[in-house]
Structures are given as C-alpha cells and as structure tokens.
C-alpha cells in the first residue's frame, strides 16, 4: 500500500512539475443545407483575443488556449452567425467540432430572423416547436446524470422516467404521457432500437444507458412535429449526433467511478480517416455484494465510429454499438423481508444486443443524398424457477428465449432550391423474430381433500417469423411573407408483409404540417398538427397460442394525432423561454385479451411486454402544457427550469379511458450550474413528479397464488385507482479539473438524492415471516400450504430512501 501511495504521489509531483496551461481545438465548418465545406469563415474565441479562418477545406485549428470554458463565434458573409457556448478547453484532449452554418434569411426592418444555432433555440423550419437540444458538456456535467443521456433528458419539459415501478431508478422515457415504446432513436442517421442495459423487451426502458457521452456532439429531442423521414414514432424522436475522431493526433480518456470503468480512444487512421472507440465495464455487482444487496447486475458495452472521406463530396461513416448484460442474484448475509422478496419475485436476465451500420453521404447539386445500411439484433433470455431451483423443469415458472433482428436500408435526397427545402426517400427492412416462450400463469392447486380449486394454466409456444417492412416519405418546407412565416408539410406511409392488411398503404398514411410565424423581434408563434403510426411490437406479432396459431396477424398500426401550439421568446442570444400546449388522441391501441387492459399501461418494469393475444381496439388521450426556461453559459452561470402539467388516459376492453400508469400530472425540474475560478464547478438539480397511479392487489387471488409467482396478483377491475406519493429528489455534483502537460485530471463527486428523500414505488405483496426470516408465519402453526390458505398476507411499503454518492475521476491524455 505504501508503494502505491509513493508511486501516486510521485506521478502527481511529476505532472505538476510539467504543468502546461495550454489546450487547442479543431474542426470543420459546412453549409447546413448543402453540406459543402465553407472556406474563409472567421472563428473567434470570444474574449480570448484568439481566432483563425477556415482553410479551403473548411478546416480550422486554434492552439495555445488557456484551459477554461469559452464561447466560440463563427461568422461568414451570407451566413447567420453561429455561437457555441460552454466549449471547455483542456490540455488533455483537443476538441474536434463539426459546425454547420445556415444561409442568412431576409432581415426585415423591424424583425430579425435569427439562426437556430445563434441563440439557445433548437427549433428548425421542419420542426418549429416541441424540440430541445443538449450539448455534450450539458450532458457530461448534469448532476445525478452519471454520464447517462437517458437519465439527463428527464430534466426536459414533458419528459419523465418511471417513478412508480422502481422508485425512479429506471430510464423509461415517458414523453407527454405516452408509453415508453413510442420513442425512436437515431445515431448519426442509423436507427438504434436498444439504448439501455437490461432493456424491457417490447418496451424500451432499463436502469442504465448504453451510449458513451464522450462520443456525442449534441442530442436533439423532438416531442411533436416529427420530420416525415422518421417511422414508428408516436411520442418522440431522439437524434444523437456523434463527433468525428480527432484528425491530428491519437488521444483519449479513462473514466473511473464507484460503479464503472470506461475508456475512450480516438485519432487518425490515415489522412482522410478518423476513428472513435470505447469500452465500458460495470462492477455494480461488487458494490452490491459489499452492501449485501441480493441483486448482481453486470454489464459491458462497446461503441465505435469510423469516418472516411472518399473525396471532396462523399463521406463514408461506420458505426457500432453493443452491450452484454447479466442480471443475477445471490443470497444476502442478512436476510430481510425486502431482500427475500426480491430473490423470489425477480427473474435473472441474460441479454446481448448490437447495432452496426454504414452510411454514405454525397453532395449533389443543391443538396445531398444519404444511403444507410444497418443491422441490429437483440437476444433475451429470462428464466425463473420455484425456490430458485434452477434447472428443475418441474419448478419452472418462466422461460423466455427470444431474438429480434432487423436489417435496414434507407435512402433519402435533400435539396434546397430557390428557398424551397425538399426531402424525400424510402426504406426497406427485413425482420426476423424468434420467440421460445413458457409462462405458468396459474399452478394447479388443491384443497385439503385433494379437490382441484384452481386448474393449471400455462402458455407455451415456439415462434419463428420473418417479414418485410417498407416505407416512403416526402417533406417540403418554405418561408413566406418576407421570411416571417415558415411552413413545412410532410407525408409518409408504411407497409409490411406480415399483418393481414399490411401491404395496404392507406392504414399507415401519416400527413403532418407545421407553421412558425415571427410576431416581433424575439417573439415567435408556432403550431403543428400531425398523424403518426407505429407497427405493433414484434413480441405481439410473433405470439402464438398453445395450438401454434399466430393469433395477432389482424393487429392494426397504433395511431395518434398530435396537436401542438406554442410561443418562443428569445430576449437575447443566450436565453430562451417557451410555452406550449399539446393534445394527443390515440386509436388502435393493443389491449390484452387475457387481462382486458391496455398494453400502453405496461413497460415500466423488467421483463417482456406483448407475449399474449391482443385486440387493437383501445383508445387513449393525453393533453397538457409545458413551460421551459434556459440560460446558456456565457460567463459563469447556466441553468434550466421546466414544468409540465398533463393528463394521460387509456382504455381497455370496456372502452372506458382511465388514468394510465404514466399519469403523474405534474413534472418539475430545475438545474443550476456555476463555474468558479481555478476550474471548480458546482451543479445542482431538483426534480419532482406527481404520484403515479397503480393497481391494488386482488387479495384472494394473491393469497392463493403467491407461492406460485412470488408476487401478488393485481385486481384489474380496479385498474390504476390508487396513487403513490409524489416523487422528489435533488442531486449535487462538484468537479475540479487540473490541467497538466497534455494531461487533464477531472475529479468529481456526484451525490444522487443528497437529502435522502423517500422514493415511492409500487407496494409488494408477500406473506409474513418469522423473526429470523427463515420461514413464513402461519395461522395454525403448521407448515405453509401451497394454496396459502394458512398464510398471513403482508404488504411491503417499498418506499425506502437511498443516498447514492459517486466519486470518480476522468483522465484525458
């Protein structure tokens, strides 16, 4: 131990001796609509007295910069000024930026049409409202975010995680009251269906995100007014834009925290080729073992990007994302009812997934085209046995062995001609879904005389389906009235070869239109209406009954119509206020034949959603309003504030709309950050969610079946008639950076829920145990009966408070 301390002290003294407060940044500037590189662009570090001009290839580089946060200004004749805020220069890594400039629009006598990158605004002509944008620094420094983009975006308006299922510690992205599987995710134009570890199949959430923040340049979230190029989106579209690897030298970073170790590396492979590559390893299982929790989550993830410039007009990009997940259990040393419940109720999960893709982008006259080829695969294994007697088929409760595979080809053309922005394209997919499923819904139970009081009910099938999906779109946008009015209209349709009426293009026709009107300098009025469609999940489509029949081939596309109206106020270049109202009407929502409830109420827990017979006659309604305020960093302070009020209701077999599982009503978040002298930074976040609805237990069925399932049985006749308490927590983060010669050390302390607030989650049904938790207490003093008739029911509150401190460091080199 003394040798280790001596080595560390010596290394620190060496770094201090060779400290050199100097960093650099580089990048490329292109035309946003045409993608051609721009030469002669002025690049200025505001307030630093440093700058340069882009060369004939649109490239720039500034060296000898004192490490701290800067605002970067780009100006060029005929283009709108671009300001990038909170660009953190360090001596360890050279920043590599890809900057897009938009041709200047007409300037009116009294009204100035501002560029989308000139201020804090994130809107565009195609998506003028319901859109937010986060930079990589905003993600990286988010208190409680733990470098997880899925967790960071929960501070944006209209966005919530699932506070009901596991106390808010999942990344179930709920947008404006819709279900978690209503969102789509694109990484550099390649769709990635899985962005979380331990994902819920048929939904989207999981406890930890997969994507590496070090790769990201920015993230754009659209919660309405979707561009027609995106299929299968009902609630939101996430566009993750990755940066390119550094073209000048090899560099990287290593991040070590209380839960994981991650490494990122980048650099040039040749004159026209750069790479980014990373790997991350969790060791949560070691932490949970140390604190005697029965769960043992363990995961790896990997990510890469290779960019190759074929010629001046053509760029080839290769990307890949993958993860390996194992969720297992171990008996705790100190048994408690809560720990034993987790052991008996939760199934081990073994998953792996990947997405790989290649995209080719080429400039053409007045625009460019994109060609993207990708493949993604998700493998999911979940097994559970009575008494955790693994391998004993007589005690099997659950066995799911499934795969989902998509092979996709997308092509689109984008042009700007005399003020008209035109985009059109098509996609084709080949889909395979393999599903070997066993689920014991009820175990045969008898009374004391041997009479059957509950017959066995088992679902067992082996399904292997494959089919084709097709889609096409067109989007047209233009400004009118001296560029005061912007209008964008789009149309898409989708087809498939599996559903009974799948090759008919009419059921999925999705028109949309949006408008933006400049009321006065700094004020804009925005509105949109659109119809959207989503194919049922593959778990639904591949389900077979016990006779082997595909019973869901008549399922329809889920549909909804969005209406949105809002205003945006931009008092200066760094401040933004928005106020929006929204209304969404759903139809053709999948409803469980067995339980009679909408599947839109499911997806906020671990497992699989959709492995059952459904009818697509459900309806739903969500509506509300959002208030958002944002201050970009200019000197020392940055922050955001958002508040959302909304209603979310869906119907089941009875046609009556009731509160959905996501109907929290109130969402509030506040983020505040301050940068002190000497590279100290403080961040504070507060978030609040109203109480989530939940369904009480059927006491009779729960007592009868608890020993079969390890959980209670919900009374769907009283669906979501109860509510949890509200969820609130605050997180704090402190960063300190030291810049040495070609090395930067960032030491951080991140404390989640620092004031130890309770975290309300769904109650847990169990039976009362004896004092040392070695057996169940019974009413007659005899061993517990399989039908639970002599058990004493007991409800666990499940609202424990947890403070989660994380200390770690990042070394850039």
């Amino acid at each position: 131990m003394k040798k280790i301390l001596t080595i560390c002290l010596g290394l620190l003294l060496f770094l201090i001796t060779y400290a050199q407060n100097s960093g650099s940044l580089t990048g490329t500037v292109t035309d946003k609509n045409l993608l051609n590189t721009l030469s002669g662009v002025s690049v200025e570090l505001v307030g630093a007295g440093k700058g340069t001009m882009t060369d004939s290839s649109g490239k720039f580089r500034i060296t000898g910069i004192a490490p701290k946060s800067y605002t970067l200004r780009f100006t060029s004749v005929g283009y709108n000024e671009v300001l990038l805020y909170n660009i953190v220069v360090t001596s360890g890594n050279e920043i590599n930026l890809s900057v897009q400039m938009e041709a200047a629009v007409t300037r009116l006598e009294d009204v100035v049409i501002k560029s989308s990158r000139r201020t804090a605004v994130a809107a565009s002509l195609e998506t003028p409202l319901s859109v937010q944008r986060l930079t990589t620094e905003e993600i990286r420094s988010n208190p409680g975010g733990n470098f997880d983009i899925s967790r960071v975006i929960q501070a944006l308006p209209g966005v919530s995680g699932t506070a009901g299922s596991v106390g808010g510690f999942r990344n179930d992205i709920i947008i404006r009251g819709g279900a978690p599987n209503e969102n789509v995710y694109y990484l550099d134009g390649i769709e990635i269906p899985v962005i979380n570890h331990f994902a819920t199949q048929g939904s989207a959430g999981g406890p930890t995100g997969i994507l590496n923040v070090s790769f990201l340049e920015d993230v754009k979230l659209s919660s309405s007014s979707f561009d027609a190029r995106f299929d299968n989106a009902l609630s939101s579209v996430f566009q993750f834009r990755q940066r390119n690897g550094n073209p000048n030298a090899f560099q990287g970073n290593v991040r070590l925290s209380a839960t994981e170790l991650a490494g990122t590396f980048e650099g040039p492979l040749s004159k026209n080729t750069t790479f980014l590559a990373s790997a991350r390893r969790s060791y949560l299982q070691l932490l949970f073992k140390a604190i005697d929790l029965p769960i043992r989550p363990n995961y790896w993830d990997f990510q890469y990007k290779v960019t190759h410039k074929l010629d001046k007009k053509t760029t080839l990009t290769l990307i890949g994302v993958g993860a390996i997940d194992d969720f297992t259990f171990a008996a705790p040393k100190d048994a408690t009812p809560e720990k034993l419940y987790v052991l008996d109720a939760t199934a081990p999960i073994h998953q792996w997934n990947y997405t790989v893709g290649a995209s080719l982008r080429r400039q053409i006259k007045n625009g460019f085209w994109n060609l993207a080829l990708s493949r993604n695969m998700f493998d999911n294994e979940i097994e559970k046995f009575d008494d955790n007697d693994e391998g004993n088929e007589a005690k099997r409760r659950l066995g799911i062995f499934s795969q989902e595979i998509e092979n996709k080809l997308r092509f689109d053309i984008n042009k700007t001609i005399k003020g008209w922005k035109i985009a059109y394209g098509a996609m084709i997919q080949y889909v395979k879904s393999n599903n070997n499923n066993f689920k014991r819904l009820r175990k045969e139970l008898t009374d004391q005389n041997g009479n059957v009081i509950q017959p066995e009910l088992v679902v067992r099938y082996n399904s292997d389906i494959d089919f084709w999906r097709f889609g096409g779109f067109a989007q047209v946008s233009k400004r009118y009235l001296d560029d005061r009015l912007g209008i964008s209209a789009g149309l898409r349709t989708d087809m498939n070869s599996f559903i009974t009426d799948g090759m008919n293009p009419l059921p999925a026709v999705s028109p949309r239109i949006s408008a933006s009107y400049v009321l006065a300098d700094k004020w804009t009025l925005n509105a949109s209406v659109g119809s959207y469609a989503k194919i049922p999940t593959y778990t639904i489509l591949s389900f077979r009954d016990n006779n082997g029949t595909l019973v869901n081939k008549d399922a329809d596309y889920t549909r909804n119509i969005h209406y949105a109206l809002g205003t945006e106020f931009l008092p200066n270049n760094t401040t933004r206020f928005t106020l929006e109202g929204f209304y969404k009407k759903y139809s053709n929502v999948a409803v469980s034949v067995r339980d009679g409830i909408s599947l839109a109420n499911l997806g906020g827990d671990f497992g699989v959603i959709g492995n059952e017979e459904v009818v697509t006659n459900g309806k739903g309604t969500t509506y509300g309003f959002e208030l958002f305020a944002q201050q970009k960093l200019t000197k020392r302070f940055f922050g955001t504030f958002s508040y959302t009020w909304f209603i979310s209701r869906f119907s089941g077999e009875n046609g009556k709309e009731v509160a959905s599982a996501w109907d929290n009503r109130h969402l509030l978040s506040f983020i505040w950050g301050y940068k002190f002298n000497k590279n100290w930074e403080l961040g504070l976040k507060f978030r609040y969610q109203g109480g989530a609805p939940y369904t009480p237990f059927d006491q009779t069925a729960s007592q009868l079946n608890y020993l079969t399932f390890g959980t209670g049985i919900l009374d769907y006749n009283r669906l979501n008639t109860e509510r949890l308490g509200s969820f609130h927590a605050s997180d704090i983060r402190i960063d300190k950076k030291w810049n040495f010669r070609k090395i930067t050390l960032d030491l951080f302390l991140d404390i989640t829920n620092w004031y130890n607030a309770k975290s309300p989650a769904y109650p847990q049904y169990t039976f009362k145990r004896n004092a040392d938790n070695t057996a169940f207490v019974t009413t007659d003093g005899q061993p517990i009966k399989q039908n639970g008739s002599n058990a004493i029911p007991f409800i666990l509150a499940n609202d424990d408070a947890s403070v989660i401190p994380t200390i770690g460091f990042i070394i850039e080199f």
Side-chain angles (χ1 to χ4, degrees):
M1 186 65 183
K2 289 183 179 180
K3 290 183 178 180
I4 295 175
L5 291 175
T6 302
I7 292 172
C8 291
L9 181 59
L11 177 61
L12 181 60
L13 291 173
F14 175 81
L15 292 173
I16 293 174
T17 302
Y18 288 91
Q20 180 180 345
N21 290 328
S22 178
S24 60
L25 58 85
T26 187
T28 305
V29 182
T30 58
D31 183 293
K32 182 179 180 180
N33 296 319
L34 305 179
L35 291 190
N36 58 290
T37 56
L38 299 178
S39 61
V41 176
S42 173
V43 184
E44 178 193 359
L45 278 175
V46 177
K50 281 184 173 291
T52 188
M53 304 282 284
T54 59
D55 62 19
S56 60
S57 300
K59 298 179 180 179
F60 67 92
R61 193 181 190 205
I62 305 175
T63 60
I65 307 171
K68 66 174 185 176
S69 296
Y70 291 93
T71 296
L72 202 56
R73 176 186 286 122
F74 297 82
T75 56
S76 182
V77 176
Y79 286 88
N80 288 312
E81 178 187 67
V82 171
L83 289 170
L84 301 182
Y85 301 101
N86 201 9
I87 303 298
V88 180
V89 176
T90 67
S91 62
N93 283 174
E94 180 177 64
I95 298 174
N96 184 28
L97 300 171
S98 297
V99 181
Q100 294 182 331
M101 300 186 73
E102 193 166 17
V105 298
T106 305
R107 293 183 177 268
L108 308 179
E109 182 178 349
D110 298 318
V111 179
V112 177
I113 312 297
K114 295 182 180 290
S115 159
S116 64
R117 296 297 296 273
R118 185 179 179 187
T119 68
V121 66
S124 64
L125 178 58
E126 296 83 357
T127 308
L129 77 169
S130 305
V131 60
Q132 309 292 339
R133 190 186 300 272
L134 292 172
T135 66
T136 183
E137 185 61 28
E138 289 169 327
I139 300 167
R140 201 188 309 245
S141 61
N142 187 280
N146 197 28
F147 307 96
D148 187 345
I149 179 59
S150 300
R151 197 169 294 275
V152 171
I153 63 99
Q154 294 179 29
L156 296 176
V159 184
S160 63
T162 302
S165 62
V166 282
F169 293 111
R170 277 176 57 94
N171 293 335
D172 298 298
I173 306 303
I174 314 301
I175 308 289
R176 292 180 168 178
N181 64 1
E182 296 180 10
N183 314 304
V184 295
Y185 310 93
Y186 284 82
L187 185 67
D188 288 345
I190 302 292
E191 185 176 5
I192 48 171
V194 181
I195 67 166
N196 287 300
H197 290 283
F198 310 107
T200 301
Q201 189 174 2
S203 186
T208 304
I210 292 175
L211 297 181
N212 184 348
V213 172
S214 296
F215 275 54
L216 300 180
E217 186 138 357
D218 60 35
V219 179
K220 180 181 178 182
L221 164 64
S222 304
S223 52
S224 191
S225 189
F226 310 137
D227 192 308
R229 74 183 67 237
F230 301 114
D231 62 297
N232 245 26
L234 293 180
S235 280
S236 78
V237 176
F238 284 84
Q239 297 175 69
F240 302 98
R241 189 165 67 100
Q242 298 182 114
R243 61 187 180 85
N244 294 325
N246 189 285
N248 301 313
F250 176 83
Q251 63 182 33
N253 68 72
V254 174
R255 183 176 76 243
L256 177 67
S257 71
T259 59
E260 63 187 22
L261 173 66
T264 302
F265 308 94
E266 61 179 296
L269 293 176
S270 69
K271 179 181 178 181
N272 296 318
T273 309
T274 63
F275 82 96
L276 278 165
S278 74
R280 178 171 59 160
R281 171 75 160 94
S282 162
Y283 45 88
L284 277 171
Q285 71 277 16
L286 302 179
L287 175 64
F288 289 172
K289 180 180 180 180
I291 60 179
D292 197 31
L293 289 180
I295 58 177
R296 298 289 188 270
N298 180 22
Y299 62 80
W300 286 83
D301 57 52
F302 311 90
Q303 193 168 337
Y304 71 84
K305 177 181 181 180
V306 177
T307 305
H308 177 63
K309 193 83 170 175
L310 294 173
D311 55 46
K312 290 184 178 180
K313 293 186 176 182
T314 312
T315 302
L316 173 66
T317 302
L318 307 176
I319 71 163
V321 180
I324 302 171
D325 304 331
D326 285 297
F327 196 95
T328 57
F329 301 88
K333 296 179 181 178
D334 179 22
T336 66
E338 292 79 9
K339 294 177 183 178
L340 294 175
Y341 176 89
V342 170
L343 277 177
D344 199 39
T346 311
I349 300 172
H350 306 283
Q351 292 181 355
W352 55 263
N353 71 84
Y354 68 81
T355 298
V356 293
S359 64
L360 194 65
R361 175 173 289 189
R362 180 169 176 81
Q363 299 170 37
I364 56 177
K365 184 179 179 180
N366 299 318
F368 61 93
W369 56 254
N370 288 306
L371 177 65
L373 177 66
S374 66
R375 174 183 171 90
N376 54 263
M377 184 171 181
F378 177 72
D379 186 280
N380 191 24
E381 295 185 10
I382 305 176
E383 295 185 273
K384 187 65 178 177
F385 298 85
D386 294 340
D387 305 319
N388 292 311
D389 188 4
E390 294 187 16
N392 187 340
E393 291 299 321
K395 293 187 175 183
R396 180 179 288 277
R397 292 183 191 171
L398 180 67
I400 296 174
F401 307 90
S402 64
Q403 293 180 332
E404 295 180 357
I405 307 164
E406 295 176 318
N407 303 277
K408 306 175 184 180
L409 179 66
R410 298 176 185 269
F411 182 74
D412 59 78
I413 296 176
N414 307 266
K415 290 190 174 184
T416 302
I417 304 174
K418 294 182 179 181
W420 289 87
K421 296 185 69 174
I422 303 168
Y424 54 93
M427 70 88 175
I428 182 171
Q429 299 185 27
Y430 176 62
V431 176
K432 285 181 63 67
S433 178
N434 310 314
N435 203 339
N436 187 348
N437 187 290
F438 173 90
K439 187 175 184 180
R440 188 176 66 202
L441 299 176
R442 288 199 305 262
K443 190 174 183 178
E444 181 181 282
L445 298 175
T446 59
D447 61 17
Q448 58 187 6
N449 298 319
N451 300 314
V452 176
I453 58 176
Q454 175 178 275
E456 183 181 59
L457 179 60
V458 169
V459 173
R460 179 188 288 111
Y461 66 91
N462 192 350
S463 185
D464 182 0
I465 65 171
D466 65 293
F467 60 96
W468 293 89
R469 291 174 57 187
F470 314 92
F473 79 95
Q475 185 99 19
V476 179
S477 310
K478 195 178 189 306
R479 296 190 184 274
Y480 300 91
L481 302 179
D482 293 328
D483 296 318
R484 186 191 295 264
L485 173 66
I487 295 179
S488 183
L491 180 70
R492 82 163 290 120
T493 188
D494 293 280
M495 300 174 289
N496 71 86
S497 63
F498 182 83
I499 295 175
T500 302
D501 197 29
M503 293 304 292
N504 182 352
L506 297 180
V509 168
S510 304
R512 71 280 317 266
I513 187 170
S514 61
S516 177
Y517 187 77
V518 180
L519 297 171
D521 186 18
K522 303 177 183 178
W523 285 95
T524 306
L525 181 66
N526 308 297
S528 72
V529 58
S531 175
Y532 309 103
K534 180 183 184 301
I535 192 172
T537 62
Y538 300 145
T539 52
I540 291 176
L541 297 181
S542 64
F543 175 77
R544 297 177 187 265
D545 62 17
N546 287 352
N547 296 319
T549 304
L550 292 166
V551 295
N552 292 328
K553 290 201 69 170
D554 290 331
D556 296 317
Y557 280 81
T558 306
R559 301 299 305 260
N560 68 11
I561 300 178
H562 288 211
Y563 302 90
L565 177 67
T567 185
E568 183 177 59
F569 175 54
L570 303 168
N572 54 56
N573 283 347
T574 61
T575 308
R576 177 189 182 207
F577 296 93
T578 64
L579 176 63
E580 290 186 14
F582 61 89
Y583 181 90
K584 297 194 292 185
K585 191 66 179 177
Y586 289 78
S587 60
N588 301 344
V589 180
V591 174
S592 167
V593 171
R594 182 180 68 237
D595 298 323
I597 67 168
S598 172
L599 265 62
N601 277 300
L602 305 177
D605 214 332
F606 300 99
V608 176
I609 305 301
N611 278 354
E612 58 182 304
E613 183 177 359
V614 302
V615 290
T616 50
N617 60 2
K619 300 183 182 302
T621 306
T622 72
Y623 57 90
F625 70 87
E626 301 168 350
L627 174 65
F628 181 64
Q630 182 179 31
Q631 174 62 49
K632 291 282 189 177
L633 176 76
T634 51
K635 294 183 179 178
R636 295 188 181 277
F637 165 77
F638 61 94
T640 65
F641 171 85
S642 72
Y643 171 74
T644 304
W645 176 87
F646 72 99
I647 297 289
S648 175
R649 302 171 68 85
F650 286 88
S651 70
E653 64 177 355
N654 61 7
K656 181 181 178 182
E657 291 188 4
V658 299
S660 77
W662 330 112
D663 186 44
N664 298 90
R665 302 290 175 91
H666 301 279
L667 304 174
L668 184 146
S669 69
F670 170 77
I671 296 177
W672 174 88
Y674 194 85
K675 298 205 172 189
F676 297 90
N677 292 327
K678 297 184 179 180
N679 294 316
W680 284 93
E681 184 174 340
L682 175 65
L684 182 68
K685 178 170 68 176
F686 174 81
R687 60 197 190 279
Y688 171 89
Q689 296 181 14
Y694 73 94
T695 302
F697 294 109
D698 181 324
Q699 295 292 336
T700 301
S702 294
Q703 185 165 358
L704 194 64
N705 290 281
Y706 174 74
L707 294 180
T708 300
F709 294 131
T711 63
I713 305 297
L714 300 180
D715 183 359
Y716 288 125
N717 292 320
R718 296 185 289 162
L719 178 68
N720 290 340
T721 55
E722 304 288 338
R723 282 188 182 269
L724 300 172
S726 60
F727 168 80
H728 60 88
S730 181
D731 312 322
I732 190 169
R733 180 184 173 103
I734 301 172
D735 280 82
K736 167 61 178 173
K737 291 185 177 71
W738 289 271
N739 286 283
F740 308 108
R741 185 179 181 182
K742 296 184 179 181
I743 294 177
T744 296
L745 172 63
D746 181 355
L747 183 65
F748 63 88
L749 173 65
D750 201 332
I751 306 176
T752 301
N753 191 26
W754 61 269
Y755 62 77
N756 202 31
K758 287 188 175 182
S759 185
Y762 296 150
Q764 298 169 339
Y765 183 99
T766 185
F767 290 157
K768 188 175 181 180
R769 296 178 180 270
N770 58 19
D772 58 3
N773 293 301
T774 56
F776 292 112
V777 175
T778 59
T779 56
D780 56 8
Q782 299 299 312
I784 194 166
K785 298 178 181 179
Q786 183 63 39
N787 62 18
S789 58
N790 63 341
I792 301 175
F794 184 71
I795 303 295
L796 298 173
N798 197 20
D799 62 352
D800 292 341
S802 297
V803 176
I804 304 177
T806 298
I807 187 169
F809 62 82
I810 304 170
I811 298 178
E812 298 179 359
F813 55 88

